[in-house]
């Protein structure tokens, strides 16, 4: 084990090269619905239990299944209303289990990126060949069912190894959502030297972390999103920023929660200098226009 | 050491669910439900009447809302008993004031211990469903099948004998099941169960002994979950239930498809003097709408539009 993951260098949030988003926007704003499949009786990983109760843990399973049966349609309707294309963090086996959901996302030109095969299959304990095979399986599944070349990664259930980013970059990926160290994209070191970056995804704005871990009330979540936006939008006048709201249809789409979220989305998309976009579009823009300047600036400041 | 080869096998990776209990189905794709008399939102108020033994074993997990201190945990024992002595009477008054038809999920041990309370419920005539034997008698994965079969039979026959009612509905203690629970319920004449929270409307569930209706009793909107698990305030409880109702009501009006609001209520939680007013506020709001069908769980489960 290492003291530091070695994925990025310290890079202070002042005097950075200016990020210019398309059309002079101050902020790149993206919404990342996690569309997940949790197994009722998954194979056992020795490093992490899938469910707190003995199998079948119908409480945990039913909570997630609700998102696919009930929640997804509601969330999609709200995103449609405000012109937001989702960037889907996808349990890729969902392509096989629930193709109806995949079709609805394809019709809307949403982005699909890999969140592993199932959210109950953890990366912990995999050797290099196993993790590579899992990553490639997910990428191939996305290509086969959606025609998209997967660009982004959020490790299944946020479980990693030391070489997760290396393997994903080698498989052709260009961005990761697994790092929470910044409000702007940053270069990420990978062993193959590919141009690979972190796109801010935000655990703090993640509905599951907010509602479940931090036990935040639905209306307060809406207020938090607006406050997060207000500050980033103000700072974005000087240097382009990224704001992401990661969602789960099994959380935000409950009838006591969705309206408060919708109000926040209405607020954000009511601002003119916001580039409402996807993870891939942010990553491609950054790699093309900002990556080299960033690498040079980081090297200069490391001195 | 790498993971076993089995970890990379996905035997259920194909269309639909990863089990045979029910079909994959999105709520939005189903034929719209119409409730009686053109009502748009069915209101199911489920009142849990529970018995928490002081000598809790907590195996294989502690019951939801159970004892937490070393034996004897007088504080939690008596706080739960408060619901059966005091809280329930406040709750009944609130229900009656707003014309709400409740469903009582009664644990058989409680029925054995408190005949006065059971007679009170029987006099009212509301539906009674079985909530298992008591809170420390869970159904769980890995449980011996014979042991669970005896527990299901004992819970149901005991409650049927005491109430002289058919008892068609079931709610497991702590909403926990084994793979066998649904089948054992069917074998014991249960027609619907309230443990699965993966939907917002009744749906058909398969077992080797025949079909059973799943009646989703929301945990997210449960009093105990909002106030005790999430530590939200009493006012927040009211806000969240009212927001949920307004949302479902609007969705029903917009789509023309009936919706169901399932409220899981524990007299030991909302029956406290500082909380009962919030239940009243919620019920007043909901019942002020003319297109609400306040019905028992059995009526909703059995409704064929």
């Amino acid at each position: 084990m290492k003291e530091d993951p070695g994925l990025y260098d310290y890079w202070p949030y002042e005097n950075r090269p200016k990020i210019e988003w398309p059309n002079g926007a101050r902020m790149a704003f993206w919404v990342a619905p996690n569309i997940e499949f949790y197994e009722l009786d998954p194979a056992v990983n020795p490093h992490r239990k899938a469910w707190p109760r003995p199998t079948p843990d119908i409480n945990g399973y039913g909570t997630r299944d609700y998102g696919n049966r009930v929640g997804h349609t509601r969330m999609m309707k709200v995103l449609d209303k405000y012109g937001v294309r989702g960037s889907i963090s996808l349990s890729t086996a969902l392509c096989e289990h629930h193709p109806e959901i995949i079709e609805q996302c394809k019709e809307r030109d949403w982005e699909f990126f890999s969140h592993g095969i199932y959210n109950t299959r953890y990366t912990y304990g995999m050797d290099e060949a196993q993790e590579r095979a899992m990553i490639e399986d997910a990428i191939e599944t996305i290509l086969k069912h959606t025609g998209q070349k997967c660009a982004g990664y959020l490790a299944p259930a946020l479980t990693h190894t030391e070489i997760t980013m290396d393997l994903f970059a080698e498989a052709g990926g260009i961005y990761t959502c697994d790092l929470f160290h910044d409000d702007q994209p940053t270069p990420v070191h990978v062993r193959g030297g590919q141009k690979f970056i972190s796109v801010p995804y935000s655990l703090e704005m993640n509905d599951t972390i907010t509602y479940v871990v931090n036990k935040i009330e639905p209306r307060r979540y809406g207020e938090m999103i607006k406050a997060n936006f207000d500050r980033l939008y103000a700072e974005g006048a000087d240097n382009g920023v990224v704001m992401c709201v990661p969602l789960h249809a099994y959380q935000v789409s409950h009838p006591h929660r969705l309206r408060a979220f919708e109000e926040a989305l209405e607020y954000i998309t009511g601002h003119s200098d916001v580039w409402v976009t996807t993870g891939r579009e942010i990553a491609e823009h950054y790699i093309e226009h900002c990556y080299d300047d960033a690498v040079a600036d980081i090297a200069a400041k490391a001195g | 050491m790498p993971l076993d080869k089995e970890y990379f096998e996905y035997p259920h990776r194909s269309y639909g669910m990863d089990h045979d209990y029910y079909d994959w189905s999105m709520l939005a794709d189903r034929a719209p439900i119409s409730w009686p008399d053109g009502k748009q939102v069915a209101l199911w108020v489920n009142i849990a009447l529970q018995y928490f033994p002081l000598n809790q074993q907590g195996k294989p997990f502690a019951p939801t809302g159970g004892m937490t201190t070393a034996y004897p945990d007088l504080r939690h024992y008596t706080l739960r008993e408060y619901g059966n002595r005091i809280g329930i009477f406040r709750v009944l008054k609130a229900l009656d004031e707003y014309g709400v038809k409740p469903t009582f999920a009664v644990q058989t041990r409680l029925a054995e211990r408190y005949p006065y309370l059971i007679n009170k419920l029987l006099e009212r005539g509301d539906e009674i469903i079985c909530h298992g034997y008591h809170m420390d008698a869970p159904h769980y994965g890995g449980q011996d099948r014979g042991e669970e079969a005896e527990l299901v039979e004992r819970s149901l026959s005991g409650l049927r004998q005491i109430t002289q009612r058919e008892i068609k509905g079931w709610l497991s203690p702590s909403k926990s099941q084994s793979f066998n629970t649904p089948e054992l319920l069917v074998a014991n004449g249960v027609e619907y169960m309230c443990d699965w929270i993966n939907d917002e409307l009744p749906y058909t569930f398969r077992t080797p002994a025949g079909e059973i209706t799943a009646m989703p009793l929301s945990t997210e909107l449960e009093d105990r979950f909002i106030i005790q698990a999430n530590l939200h305030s009493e006012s927040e409880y009211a806000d969240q239930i009212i927001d949920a109702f307004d949302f479902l009501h609007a969705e029903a009006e917009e789509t023309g498809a009936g919706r169901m609001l399932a409220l899981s209520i524990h007299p030991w939680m909302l029956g406290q003097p500082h909380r009962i007013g919030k239940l009243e506020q919620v019920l007043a709001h909901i019942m002020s709408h003319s297109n609400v069908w306040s019905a028992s769980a059995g009526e909703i489960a059995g409704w064929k539009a």
Side-chain angles (χ1 to χ4, degrees):
Chain A
M1 291 193 283
K2 305 185 285 190
E3 187 200 13
D4 170 328
L7 293 170
Y8 54 84
D9 300 312
Y10 181 74
W11 191 29
Y13 188 43
E14 56 182 16
N15 304 316
R16 290 181 178 181
K18 183 165 177 166
I19 293 176
E20 305 268 5
W21 296 127
N23 302 311
R26 303 178 183 196
M27 171 191 286
F29 175 74
W30 66 301
V31 174
N34 286 266
I35 302 188
E36 298 172 329
F37 199 102
Y38 285 71
E39 298 159 284
L40 185 61
D41 191 8
V44 175
N45 184 305
H47 305 278
R48 177 169 160 177
K49 271 176 77 175
W51 299 113
R53 285 184 182 172
T55 303
D57 187 336
I58 66 167
N59 180 48
Y61 181 87
T63 295
R64 274 54 172 217
D65 189 30
Y66 172 93
N68 293 328
R69 292 170 75 87
V70 180
H72 169 70
T73 313
R74 285 187 186 147
M75 182 176 68
M76 180 168 264
K77 193 174 153 211
V78 168
L79 296 187
D80 281 353
K81 188 170 170 187
Y82 298 98
V84 177
R85 287 160 55 219
S87 306
I88 303 158
S89 164
L90 182 67
S91 292
T92 58
L94 195 125
C95 296
E96 282 105 357
H97 287 288
H98 301 333
E100 297 88 349
I101 292 179
I102 300 298
E103 284 306 313
Q104 291 175 1
C105 299
K106 281 164 69 178
E107 284 165 16
R108 287 160 174 80
D109 193 24
W110 285 16
E111 176 189 345
F112 298 89
F113 66 84
S114 173
H115 191 24
I117 297 171
Y118 285 107
N119 221 31
T120 35
R121 302 277 176 144
Y122 311 121
T123 318
Y124 300 139
M126 290 186 189
D127 68 16
E128 180 167 339
Q130 289 176 335
E131 188 176 9
R132 182 184 295 111
M134 183 269 287
I135 287 172
E136 288 177 352
D137 181 328
I139 290 174
E140 284 161 18
T141 304
I142 289 175
L143 183 65
K144 179 178 160 198
H145 290 270
T146 74
Q148 291 188 19
K149 184 171 179 295
C150 173
Y153 197 61
L154 179 70
L158 275 63
T159 61
H160 312 93
T161 68
E162 289 180 348
I163 58 169
T164 296
M165 309 303 164
D166 300 324
L167 295 174
F168 186 62
E170 285 160 17
I174 59 169
Y175 76 96
T176 175
C177 304
D178 288 292
L179 309 176
F180 308 105
H181 60 305
D182 219 291
D183 284 326
Q184 292 181 317
T186 71
V188 171
H189 300 307
V190 287
R191 67 187 181 188
Q194 294 91 350
K195 284 190 177 180
F196 187 76
I197 67 164
S198 163
V199 173
Y201 167 83
S202 187
L203 269 195
E204 293 282 344
M205 290 291 104
N206 184 308
D207 61 347
T208 296
I209 301 300
T210 307
Y211 297 131
V212 181
V213 180
N214 297 335
K215 305 193 183 307
I216 297 299
E217 300 85 347
R219 294 183 188 183
R220 188 175 153 213
Y221 179 48
E223 296 305 314
M224 286 169 56
I225 293 172
K226 287 190 237 178
N228 193 284
F229 170 82
D230 283 342
R231 180 54 56 108
L232 286 172
Y233 189 72
E235 292 175 359
D238 301 324
N239 195 341
V241 293
V242 174
M243 178 173 173
C244 179
V245 182
L247 297 175
H248 300 74
Y250 66 82
Q251 294 293 347
V252 76
S253 299
H254 276 282
H256 60 310
R257 290 184 175 142
L258 194 57
R259 181 68 195 134
F261 169 75
E262 180 179 343
E263 283 171 15
L265 196 60
E266 182 177 20
Y267 178 77
I268 290 171
T269 56
H271 288 70
S272 54
D273 293 333
V274 177
W275 178 32
V276 179
T277 184
T278 65
R280 179 204 306 273
E281 288 171 1
I282 295 169
E284 288 175 345
H285 180 94
Y286 186 87
I287 287 170
E288 188 177 345
H289 300 284
C290 313
Y291 180 92
D292 292 339
D293 289 346
V295 168
D297 191 59
I298 293 165
K301 283 172 179 159
Chain B
M1 210 174 86
L3 298 178
D4 293 344
K5 192 168 146 278
E6 178 194 63
Y7 202 69
F8 301 89
E9 291 165 0
Y10 310 102
H12 303 291
R13 191 174 173 181
S14 56
Y15 184 79
M17 305 312 300
D18 59 335
H19 54 73
D20 296 324
Y21 280 141
Y22 52 83
D23 291 330
W24 155 239
S25 154
M26 291 170 81
L27 178 67
D29 292 343
R30 296 177 211 158
I33 278 199
S34 303
W35 302 124
D37 305 321
K39 304 283 187 188
Q40 288 176 306
V41 179
L43 174 67
W44 166 23
V45 174
N46 197 79
I47 311 294
L49 292 167
Q50 305 176 317
Y51 185 68
F52 293 82
L54 183 64
N55 58 344
Q56 174 181 296
Q57 303 301 301
K59 292 192 175 145
F61 53 85
T64 305
M67 306 298 108
T68 62
T69 78
Y71 180 85
D73 184 350
L74 289 184
R75 99 173 68 159
H76 290 105
Y77 182 84
T78 56
L79 270 170
R80 303 302 169 254
E81 284 279 277
Y82 180 94
N84 298 325
R85 299 164 62 92
I86 309 293
I88 180 62
F89 294 96
R90 290 201 182 105
V91 169
L92 291 176
K93 223 172 184 175
L95 296 168
D96 292 345
E97 186 174 344
Y98 296 100
V100 173
K101 188 180 213 177
T103 301
F104 296 103
V106 175
Q107 296 195 316
T108 302
R109 185 67 188 130
L110 179 113
E112 291 169 354
R113 290 173 54 95
Y114 307 138
Y116 181 96
L117 181 54
I118 296 308
N119 287 333
K120 176 92 186 170
L121 303 182
L122 289 170
E123 277 167 25
R124 292 176 55 91
D126 298 305
E127 183 178 5
I128 292 173
I129 68 173
C130 186
H131 189 10
Y133 190 66
H134 59 48
M135 286 306 288
D136 198 32
H139 304 253
Y140 58 92
Q143 188 170 27
D144 175 77
R145 187 184 166 99
E147 177 190 304
E148 188 183 8
E150 186 277 329
L151 181 59
V152 170
E153 197 282 328
R154 172 158 48 100
S155 305
L156 281 160
S157 65
L159 192 60
R160 284 168 177 152
Q161 201 270 321
I162 291 168
T163 62
Q164 293 297 300
R165 296 265 195 95
E166 279 186 282
I167 310 293
K168 296 176 177 174
W170 174 273
L171 172 63
S172 295
S174 305
K175 283 185 179 162
S176 174
Q177 294 190 346
S178 75
F179 282 113
N180 299 318
T181 310
E183 178 186 356
L184 294 170
L185 295 176
V186 173
N188 281 274
V190 172
E191 295 176 7
Y192 68 91
M193 59 179 185
C194 314
D195 299 330
W196 286 70
I197 53 173
N198 57 331
D199 212 294
E200 278 181 7
L201 286 174
Y203 66 93
T204 301
F205 200 100
R206 284 184 293 266
T207 85
E211 292 182 348
I212 185 169
T213 297
M215 278 286 285
L217 181 61
S218 173
T219 297
E220 293 283 353
L221 298 177
E222 181 173 292
D223 56 353
R224 181 206 59 79
F225 186 76
I226 292 173
I227 296 172
Q228 188 186 61
N230 286 339
L231 299 174
H232 295 172
S233 70
E234 289 73 30
S235 301
E236 263 294 329
Y237 169 77
D239 288 348
Q240 290 176 37
I241 303 301
I242 289 170
D243 285 353
F245 172 80
D246 289 349
F247 185 93
L248 293 171
H249 186 259
E251 192 170 84
E253 293 215 310
E254 190 188 318
T255 62
R259 289 289 178 255
M260 177 176 79
L261 179 66
L263 296 183
S264 171
I265 286 164
H266 298 76
W268 53 261
M269 175 58 66
L270 288 189
Q272 286 283 345
H274 58 299
R275 297 196 183 107
I276 192 71
K278 297 303 176 185
L279 176 62
E280 290 164 357
Q281 183 189 339
V282 161
L283 297 179
H285 177 81
I286 295 170
M287 298 307 288
S288 71
H289 294 73
S290 59
N291 51 6
V292 171
W293 180 40
S294 175
S296 74
E299 287 172 318
I300 297 171
W303 178 252
K304 302 274 186 264

